[in-house]
Amino acid sequence: MKRLSFFTVFVMACFSMQAQLSLDECRLLARENYPLIKQYGLIEQSTEYSVANAAKAHLPQVSFAVQATWQSDVATFPKQMTDIYEQFGMEMRGLHKDQYKVALEVNQTVWDGGLARAQQDLSRAEGEVSVRSVEAELYALHERINQLYFGLLILEEQLQQNGLLQELLQSNHHTVESCVKNGAAVQGDLNVVKAEQLSVLQQRVQIESSAAAYRQMLSFMTGRKIDGSATFEKPAVTVGNLPVANPQGGMGAFTDEGNNRPELRLFEARTAQFEARKRAVKASVMPRFGIFAQGYYGNPGLNLFKDMTEDQWSWNYMAGLRLQWNFGSFYTKKGDMQKLSLAQRQVDSQRETFLFNNSLQQIGQRSAIEKMRKMMANDDEIIKLRTSIRRSSEAKYANGTVTVSDLLRDITTESQALLNKSIHELEWLKNIYELKNTVNFY
């Protein structure tokens, strides 16, 4: 965590010095800005406390007690014996029914059947489950950042193509204007060009408004102000050897090979948690062996005969060994183990379902990548042809053989072809990173 925080500070410092953002920087900033990140420290502290408390079970347990009782009866000597003692001048008054004790007792567990160790392991396993659960929730931020980031890249590309279209329309505006002055064209042709320019300006306003909204959402998620001066770096194209599910093999064919999603680590942590609980249940039915020592100041003491003749408080102590075995734990052991086994089967089913859905996502994303790759193969040729058609229309309009509407149609068609090429590339790249995100392959 300390390394991550230091790197985050470094990234933020770099961000303040440059207006260009990368996808990795946005992800890291969003992760650090998300309120859930604070739970890491809380979970770590809670786990440490739980483990420490479980470890203290082997420390000496000291108890202090003050007791005052009144009994309905006490131990006495038969009257015949008291009469004999009186003949020798000894008065056997007996014990008082009101008795008092101030005691201090120390118990030391020698062997508890592995219960303390099992509870420590269970605390660690529960802490690991909490950490993995937070990681899985934080990982969901990646998809949201991807959508915003690639959305902004596409909007920036649209703005760039919009600017180029405006320049081309302005160039043709001058051409048509010259034709009108020379009498080769009518004012209506110039009005058509002006209307198209205004329409393109309206499109730019819409694109800029969408981009501003995306920047605002990205600023909120990253905790950094991202204004219109910020630019976004196009991620590198590195497909790598990503795994793909085999749909022909049924559900069993969907494995976690090559899949690094944090949800899988969460399932593993839950399995380890159930195993730790099973060890704790087994340890709970084992006997406990320990030593103890007790000292008390009270009346009567351990020497009852002396206390029958002398009414006084005394110091007393005892020490020994103790074996305890609670057989009641056996009544619930079988049921507890069966419940844990059922819970484990539920986790296994959830894991299989996750891998199934995850593999289906991979299949769809790979199909989308291949589709965009095939579409990109023809983009350059389409642009080449559309540019040739547009230039031909410009020449024909100058010669008066086509209308201005035909010219504008060819101009916008060429602009759309240029935009399509950029969007196809970005969509292809976006699908690649969606696939990477699906299997956590970075």
Side-chain angles (χ1 to χ4, degrees), residues 270-271 273-279 281-282 332-350:
R270 285 178 177 172
T271 298
Q273 181 186 28
F274 290 133
E275 292 300 322
R277 286 180 178 175
K278 288 180 180 180
R279 291 194 295 271
V281 170
K282 292 177 181 178
T332 59
K333 177 186 176 183
K334 183 177 180 180
D336 290 339
M337 296 295 284
Q338 288 177 338
K339 285 169 59 179
L340 291 173
S341 296
L342 287 174
Q344 178 60 62
R345 289 170 59 185
Q346 288 179 336
V347 171
D348 292 340
S349 176
Q350 292 171 1

Side-chain angles (χ1 to χ4, degrees), residues 360-377:
L360 288 181
Q361 278 186 291
Q362 293 182 45
I363 294 171
Q365 288 160 354
R366 285 185 175 275
S367 176
I369 291 172
E370 182 62 18
K371 180 185 73 173
M372 297 311 300
R373 187 190 65 79
K374 292 179 178 178
M375 293 180 69
M376 289 165 57

Side-chain angles (χ1 to χ4, degrees), residues 127-338:
E128 184 68 12
V129 168
S130 298
V131 169
R132 297 302 183 183
S133 179
V134 171
E135 288 180 353
E137 291 187 56
L138 287 173
Y139 189 78
L141 289 174
H142 289 191
E143 183 175 357
R144 296 163 68 181
I145 293 297
N146 282 356
Q147 295 293 334
L148 289 174
Y149 193 89
F150 281 101
L152 279 166
L153 285 178
I154 291 174
L155 289 171
E156 283 190 343
E157 193 63 37
Q158 288 177 346
L159 285 173
Q160 183 178 353
Q161 292 300 327
N162 184 275
L164 294 175
L165 179 57
Q166 287 187 49
E167 292 177 3
L168 188 57
L169 287 173
Q170 185 62 33
S171 174
N172 281 274
H173 179 278
H174 294 318
T175 300
V176 175
E177 189 175 35
S178 298
C179 291
V180 171
K181 290 179 180 180
N182 296 331
V186 296
Q187 182 64 33
D189 290 349
L190 187 59
N191 292 338
V192 172
V193 176
K194 288 180 179 179
E196 186 66 22
Q197 287 179 297
L198 291 174
S199 177
V200 173
L201 283 174
Q202 284 183 334
Q203 292 174 10
R204 186 173 189 85
V205 171
Q206 292 178 348
I207 297 170
E208 288 176 343
S209 177
S210 297
Y214 271 57
R215 286 192 180 91
Q216 187 176 4
M217 287 187 287
L218 192 60
S219 296
F220 181 78
M221 292 192 65
T222 59
R224 304 290 295 179
K225 182 174 177 56
I226 302 175
D227 54 25
S229 64
T231 58
F232 300 91
E233 177 185 337
K234 186 182 296 185
V237 183
T238 53
V239 180
N241 296 320
L242 290 172
V244 63
N246 178 14
Q248 303 299 326
M251 197 158 184
F254 297 93
T255 68
D256 61 353
E257 183 180 355
N259 196 324
N260 298 313
R261 283 290 291 263
E263 289 87 346
L264 296 176
R265 307 292 83 79
L266 175 58
F267 294 136
E268 292 175 359
R270 285 178 177 172
T271 298
Q273 181 186 28
F274 290 133
E275 292 300 322
R277 286 180 178 175
K278 288 180 180 180
R279 291 194 295 271
V281 170
K282 292 177 181 178
S284 67
V285 300
M286 300 299 290
R288 282 121 175 95
F289 179 73
I291 58 177
F292 72 95
Q294 184 187 80
Y296 73 91
Y297 182 65
N299 185 12
L302 294 177
N303 190 339
L304 297 181
F305 183 82
K306 181 179 179 180
D307 291 331
M308 287 181 182
T309 60
E310 300 179 6
D311 183 15
Q312 63 180 9
W313 288 52
S314 62
W315 289 99
N316 305 269
Y317 70 90
M318 68 175 68
L321 305 176
R322 179 179 290 148
L323 177 66
Q324 291 180 304
W325 201 340
N326 182 12
F327 292 100
S329 301
F330 283 99
Y331 303 151
T332 59
K333 177 186 176 183
K334 183 177 180 180
D336 290 339
M337 296 295 284
Q338 288 177 338

Side-chain angles (χ1 to χ4, degrees), residues 71-113:
Q71 300 178 193
S72 62
D73 202 358
V74 292
T76 59
F77 282 104
K79 187 175 185 303
Q80 294 84 349
M81 293 187 67
T82 58
D83 292 341
I84 294 174
Y85 283 125
E86 288 178 357
Q87 292 177 5
F88 289 96
M90 297 177 60
E91 183 182 359
M92 302 298 294
R93 293 176 298 181
L95 298 177
H96 292 285
K97 291 185 177 181
D98 57 321
Q99 300 184 2
Y100 309 91
K101 180 186 293 185
V102 179
L104 183 69
E105 183 172 353
V106 179
N107 290 279
Q108 173 64 61
T109 300
V110 177
W111 186 71
D112 64 354

